[in-house]
Amino acid sequence: MREAHASQDQHTSRPAPEIGEVLELLEIAWEHNRETLSTAPLSSVQTRVMYIIDREPGINLSSLGRRLSAAAPSVTRLCDRLQAAGFLRRIPHTEDRRAMHLELTEAGSDHLDGIRHRREQVLRQAMERMSPDAQHALATGLSALCDAVGEPTRPPEHRESA
């Protein structure tokens, strides 16, 4: 019985060093492609806000704050900056004048599409050097990880380009 438990402990603790190595390799790869993968002129937090709004069009400031685990004044400032950059619009709620719905502008959607496209290209180039089985395993594992951390992997709806 002790051997079975030790074997189980080895199996469950085995990925920990691998995870650290994977994180380091991802950081190196990200840094290596920093210019290509940049979110400029936005910060990573502003970009995260835009991803959330893209996935949940019409979200209000309170819900956005909960998703970010951020205080209302911080969320308001983030949205003020995104609106000033032309990436976000606030739409008054029809029933509650104090509430605002948040949506990306066309410029905001275009900026996110550009980020996604650049990142997909870099990832596609790297994955082309992997076997099809390894590619599938990576996609399956990342999907499971996203589900485990509460970020569903449903793809955002992209609008048609004119």
Side-chain angles (χ1 to χ4, degrees):
M1 179 120 168
R2 178 171 234 183
E3 286 178 19
H5 186 66
S7 173
Q8 184 180 10
D9 285 347
Q10 281 181 328
H11 178 70
T12 57
S13 64
R14 193 180 116 246
E18 294 170 6
I19 290 171
E21 185 177 331
V22 167
L23 289 172
E24 289 173 15
L25 291 172
L26 283 172
E27 191 172 321
I28 290 167
W30 207 258
E31 183 63 28
H32 178 71
N33 293 292
R34 184 173 39 168
E35 285 185 29
T36 305
L37 301 174
S38 172
T39 62
L42 303 178
S43 69
S44 60
V45 174
Q46 289 170 320
T47 303
R48 182 171 175 221
V49 167
M50 289 183 55
Y51 278 130
I52 292 169
I53 295 168
D54 188 51
R55 287 190 177 129
E56 300 177 38
I59 191 172
N60 63 34
L61 286 168
S62 298
S63 297
L64 180 60
R66 282 191 296 278
R67 296 269 293 150
L68 295 169
S69 298
S74 297
V75 175
T76 299
R77 281 191 301 276
L78 278 167
C79 290
D80 288 346
R81 290 183 186 120
L82 288 170
Q83 188 172 12
F87 292 147
L88 172 81
R89 80 174 130 259
R90 291 178 168 110
I91 300 168
H93 191 283
T94 56
E95 297 169 11
D96 182 354
R97 293 186 329 194
R98 296 170 297 164
M100 293 284 174
H101 295 288
L102 305 172
E103 290 183 356
L104 297 181
T105 61
E106 186 173 346
S109 293
D110 289 347
H111 185 71
L112 276 187
D113 288 346
I115 291 170
R116 284 183 179 114
H117 177 74
R118 290 189 307 275
R119 290 178 174 183
E120 286 169 7
Q121 290 298 105
V122 168
L123 186 57
R124 185 172 284 112
Q125 289 171 1
M127 289 181 71
E128 285 173 355
R129 295 188 296 269
M130 298 168 60
S131 72
D133 287 345
Q135 291 177 21
H136 180 72
L138 176 63
T140 300
L142 288 175
S143 178
L145 179 63
C146 287
D147 291 343
V149 297
E151 289 289 332
T153 55
R154 67 178 170 86
E157 294 177 19
H158 292 287
R159 50 189 174 76
E160 295 292 320
S161 298

